[in-house]
Amino acid sequence: MYKQSAMADIKYLTINENDINWGLTVTTTGYQRIVPHSSYPSREHPSAYLFHPQTGRVLQEYQLIYITSGRGQFRSKHQRHVTVSAGMLLLLFPGEWHSYLPLEETGWHTHWIGFKGAFAEHIMRHNFFTPATPVHNIGFNEQLVELFREVTSYAVQEKTGFQQVIAAITMHILGLVYYTIRNNAFADKDIVMKIEKARMMMREDPGGDVTPEALAQSLNMSYSWFRRMFRQYTGLAPAQYQQQLKLQKAREWLISTDKTIKEIAYVLNFESANYFNAFFKQKTGMTPVAFRKASRTR
């Protein structure tokens, strides 16, 4: 025997030109508890969002769906049929076929946000999230639940300027999800410890006397493996990270010491003062002399 869903707060939003110019707009938000042995999907959604689990659907927006209890099934164009459960987050992409439903014996409780806009397109275009991995096991995160609830609360009130507020919260959610995914990828504490040790060694040697290859060897890792893990963990290859440290140290010395340009270039292992000048200008848009003068004037 089927029952109706026990709890729901669903909001579909209108969007004006001012909202679009903000860079991200929220199209829908809410939460819904589907109790065990209840009919699914609920008829509370507009026709554009309704679908049959067997045939699925294609949306023209992104959606984040956070499962906080229960279990279900999910599949998409890029994802084979997979069981999903509490603590997992689904990311739906516009133009991407997908389908999902809760298991009849467990039901589920979900929070969701639909969104679109230039900001969303930008981060997806740069592969912060991809259709190839639409399911993420991020665990139970009270902060994330509160952010979803906050978006729904603002949307229900629908006061002037609410779209800008919930767009900002949605950006926060995306950042928190990305942060969680990246850090969960490094559950191996031994790898984390080795990368942190490498970073410490690099910071203690801003001139880069120890090469990334030598660092990998000292940590008993192959260079290719070390480079790949280091890049995944920090977002930069080891050599790029060393360059950032050199730039940081150069800025610090230019502001707080009277070291000459030649001395700084020498300590930081640049081939020459001219090479250091070219490197610094490429990274900052200013020569070291101009940077020092401007910093001290301020």
Side-chain angles (χ1 to χ4, degrees), residues 25 35 51 73 94 103 105 123 136 140-141 193 204 214 217 249 256 267 271 285:
T25 53
V35 299
F51 70 103
Q73 305 290 335
L103 296 185
E105 61 269 27
I123 64 172
H136 303 282
F140 297 97
N141 190 315
M193 184 178 68
E204 291 178 347
Q217 187 175 9
K249 183 57 69 173
S256 61
V267 175
E271 295 176 10

Side-chain angles (χ1 to χ4, degrees), residues 221-239:
M221 301 173 75
S222 71
Y223 177 64
S224 59
W225 175 253
F226 168 68
R227 186 180 185 279
R228 184 154 65 91
M229 291 296 101
F230 191 95
R231 189 182 185 94
Q232 286 184 17
Y233 189 73
T234 67
L236 294 170

